[in-house]
């Protein structure tokens, strides 16, 4: 009988998305890992931070989650003393089956490459990497080491987007003409939460990339050319050399030769008292229909003396009671994208499923090639007087 033991996993990073550092709540990755443990998918959880201080915070969050969820996986947090940016390498001695990488964008390539070289299946929180060359290198590394590489683009799992996927597939909207996306976050993200590394990225690469991947997933189209224009006012005035907003235009080509455009307005200078951390809207115009999705206003509003007005997305990443109204569990399309990765790794490890068979809803390393073409083209356009950049052959 096949060995069906839960998978020991490694989480590289201990920030906001992992365990809620610098924000309220528990983040998304750690609650998802606890949920995976409840479901028998995950055994030991090792969290590799860069400092003992961050490791202590992650350990405290894990202890709180254990009480809340009523499950107690063995959780180790590294390093135990001082600073060690390569603490994740120490964790490899325990031979984890899978790793989730949630670190600043510019560190993705080196860390992911080391994990693949050690034959660890890897999920990388978006974006995978910023260049076509690095994407191809990781695709090749995963193939040569016979491991699975995926990117955590959770918007693929959002039912509002899956409905749009079906409408496009069924031809309800007719010929696609335009996608229009607006996606922005509060000032606190670049000025506080990501201040240490914000100048190594830009808002389109960090945030807007979600919808680049989503459009590729929804339509199967490939990007032809890209043009971006950025503004620097607020953040530059506070000593931060990165764009406040970036407007990007992408020309796409579908398999049958059809051309459509997408326009993206991304920014991270929203007021810190806005009603949600992210303000995001999607509109698609076709020759026979229009689809609008307000992806901030999900119909739930909370007003309190302390927090003011908050618009809550109950479908992304939340903690809810179980059927007996006792132990809590992690729910939403954010955790679901992570749970699917653990299910897939279990299928590979226990059933021998080839990693190359995985696709569909999943964002694989290979599916990130069109995304990296757009990111590389956008940066070139910003640096070269906002001209159109041909990306199809990058």
């Amino acid at each position: 009988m096949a060995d069906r033991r839960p998978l020991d996993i490694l989480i590289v990073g201990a920030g906001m998305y992992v365990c809620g550092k610098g924000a309220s709540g528990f983040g998304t990755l750690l609650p998802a890992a606890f949920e995976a443990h409840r479901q028998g998918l995950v055994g030991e959880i090792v969290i590799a931070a860069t400092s003992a201080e961050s490791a202590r915070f992650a350990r405290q969050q894990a202890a709180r989650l254990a009480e809340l969820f009523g499950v107690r996986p063995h959780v180790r947090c590294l390093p135990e003393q001082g600073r060690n940016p390569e603490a994740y390498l120490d964790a490899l001695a325990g031979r984890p089956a899978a790793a989730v990488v949630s670190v600043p964008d510019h560190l993705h390539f080196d860390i992911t490459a080391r994990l693949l070289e050690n034959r660890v299946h890897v999920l990388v929180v978006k974006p995978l990497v910023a260049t076509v060359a690095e994407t191809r290198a990781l695709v090749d590394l995963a193939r040569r080491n016979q491991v699975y590489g995926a990117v955590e683009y959770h918007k693929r799992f959002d039912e509002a987007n899956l409905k749009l996927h079906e409408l496009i597939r069924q031809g309800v909207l007719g010929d696609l003409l335009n996608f229009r996306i607006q996606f922005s976050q509060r000032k606190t993200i670049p000025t506080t939460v990501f201040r240490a590394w914000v100048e190594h990225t830009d808002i389109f690469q960090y945030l807007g990339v979600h919808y680049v991947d989503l459009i590729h997933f929804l339509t199967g189209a490939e990007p032809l050319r890209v043009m971006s224009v950025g503004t620097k006012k607020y953040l530059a005035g506070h000593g931060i050399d990165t764009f406040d907003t970036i407007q990007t235009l992408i020309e796409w080509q579908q398999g049958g030769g059809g051309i459509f455009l997408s326009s993206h307005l991304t920014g991270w200078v929203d007021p810190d008292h806005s009603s949600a951390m992210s303000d995001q809207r999607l509109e698609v115009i076709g020759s026979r229909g229009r689809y609008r999705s307000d992806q901030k206003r999900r119909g739930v509003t909370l007003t309190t003396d302390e927090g003011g007005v908050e618009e809550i997305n109950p479908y992304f990443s939340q903690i809810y009671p179980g059927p007996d109204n006792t132990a809590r569990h992690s729910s939403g399309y954010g955790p679901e994208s992570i749970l699917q990765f653990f299910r897939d790794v279990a299928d590979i490890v226990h059933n021998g499923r080839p990693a190359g068979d995985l696709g569909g809803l999943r964002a694989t390393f290979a599916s990130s090639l069109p995304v990296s073409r757009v990111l590389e083209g956008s940066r070139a356009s910003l640096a070269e007087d906002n001209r159109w950049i041909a990306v199809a052959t990058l």
Side-chain angles (χ1 to χ4, degrees), residues 217-279:
F217 164 66
L218 292 172
T219 67
E222 296 288 332
L224 294 177
R225 55 182 186 150
V226 178
M227 179 177 67
S228 287
V229 180
T231 57
K232 289 185 178 181
K233 294 184 180 180
Y234 177 83
L235 294 173
H238 287 74
I240 301 172
D241 185 18
T242 192
F243 293 100
D244 296 342
T245 65
I246 296 175
Q247 291 181 276
T248 302
L249 192 62
I250 308 169
E251 185 178 62
W252 299 82
Q253 183 171 38
Q254 292 181 279
I259 302 289
F260 65 86
L261 296 174
S262 66
S263 60
H264 307 249
L265 173 57
T266 50
W268 44 11
V269 289
D270 286 358
D272 286 334
H273 294 292
S274 59
S275 60
M277 178 63 75
S278 295
D279 191 331

Side-chain angles (χ1 to χ4, degrees), residues 179-205:
F179 282 72
R180 184 167 61 187
I181 292 102
Q182 181 175 326
F183 198 6
S184 56
Q185 289 189 332
R186 294 171 179 165
K187 294 183 177 81
T188 190
I189 295 294
T191 60
T192 303
V193 179
F194 296 151
R195 179 62 188 92
W197 61 275
V198 70
E199 293 175 336
H200 290 282
T201 188
D202 63 51
I203 184 56
F204 183 63
Q205 176 178 305

Side-chain angles (χ1 to χ4, degrees), residues 163-174 288:
K163 179 62 179 177
L164 176 57
H165 183 275
E166 287 300 287
L167 293 173
I168 292 173
R169 185 183 65 83
Q170 294 165 5
V172 174
L173 300 179
R288 294 197 291 115

Side-chain angles (χ1 to χ4, degrees), residues 82-368:
R83 286 187 57 81
N84 182 6
E86 295 188 339
Y88 72 97
L89 295 176
D90 297 335
L92 294 179
R95 301 191 64 80
V100 184
V101 176
S102 182
V103 298
D105 295 357
H106 61 290
L107 303 177
H108 284 194
F109 179 78
D110 288 343
I111 291 174
T112 303
R114 297 289 290 273
L115 294 170
L116 295 174
E117 288 164 352
N118 281 274
R119 298 184 180 274
V120 178
H121 304 286
V122 183
L123 177 69
V124 182
V125 172
K126 58 78 199 164
L128 175 58
V129 284
T131 70
V132 173
E134 288 181 338
T135 302
R136 287 187 173 135
L138 292 180
V139 170
D140 185 59
L141 264 178
R143 179 188 56 78
R144 284 194 283 111
N145 288 286
Q146 298 183 316
V147 291
Y148 176 47
V151 189
E152 201 272 306
Y153 282 119
H154 49 253
K155 290 189 182 298
R156 291 185 177 215
F157 291 79
D158 183 345
E159 286 87 349
N161 298 328
L162 291 176
K163 179 62 179 177
L164 176 57
H165 183 275
E166 287 300 287
L167 293 173
I168 292 173
R169 185 183 65 83
Q170 294 165 5
V172 174
L173 300 179
D175 295 329
L176 296 176
L177 304 174
N178 294 93
F179 282 72
R180 184 167 61 187
I181 292 102
Q182 181 175 326
F183 198 6
S184 56
Q185 289 189 332
R186 294 171 179 165
K187 294 183 177 81
T188 190
I189 295 294
T191 60
T192 303
V193 179
F194 296 151
R195 179 62 188 92
W197 61 275
V198 70
E199 293 175 336
H200 290 282
T201 188
D202 63 51
I203 184 56
F204 183 63
Q205 176 178 305
Y206 160 70
L207 195 64
V209 68
H210 266 301
Y211 283 93
V212 178
D213 172 78
L214 184 64
I215 291 172
H216 173 64
F217 164 66
L218 292 172
T219 67
E222 296 288 332
L224 294 177
R225 55 182 186 150
V226 178
M227 179 177 67
S228 287
V229 180
T231 57
K232 289 185 178 181
K233 294 184 180 180
Y234 177 83
L235 294 173
H238 287 74
I240 301 172
D241 185 18
T242 192
F243 293 100
D244 296 342
T245 65
I246 296 175
Q247 291 181 276
T248 302
L249 192 62
I250 308 169
E251 185 178 62
W252 299 82
Q253 183 171 38
Q254 292 181 279
I259 302 289
F260 65 86
L261 296 174
S262 66
S263 60
H264 307 249
L265 173 57
T266 50
W268 44 11
V269 289
D270 286 358
D272 286 334
H273 294 292
S274 59
S275 60
M277 178 63 75
S278 295
D279 191 331
Q280 47 188 319
R281 301 161 206 169
L282 166 67
E283 181 176 25
V284 185
I285 300 172
S287 62
R288 294 197 291 115
R290 181 191 301 258
Y291 183 87
R292 287 177 177 167
S293 178
D294 191 327
Q295 305 205 331
K296 178 179 80 167
R297 293 194 170 95
R298 301 297 181 115
V300 180
T301 303
L302 172 67
T303 307
T304 62
D305 288 338
E306 282 191 2
V309 177
E310 301 174 70
E311 295 188 82
I312 297 171
N313 182 352
Y315 313 113
F316 167 49
S317 180
Q318 299 289 341
I319 293 175
Y320 292 125
D324 296 321
N325 198 29
T326 51
R328 269 43 184 172
H329 67 101
S330 179
S331 180
Y333 58 83
E336 179 60 25
S337 69
I338 299 160
L339 286 166
Q340 186 60 53
F341 170 72
F342 293 141
R343 292 186 200 108
D344 290 334
V345 174
D347 202 14
I348 293 168
V349 171
H350 299 315
N351 302 325
R353 183 173 182 177
D357 284 358
L358 297 170
L361 229 66
R362 306 165 184 87
T364 64
F365 282 6
S367 75
S368 282

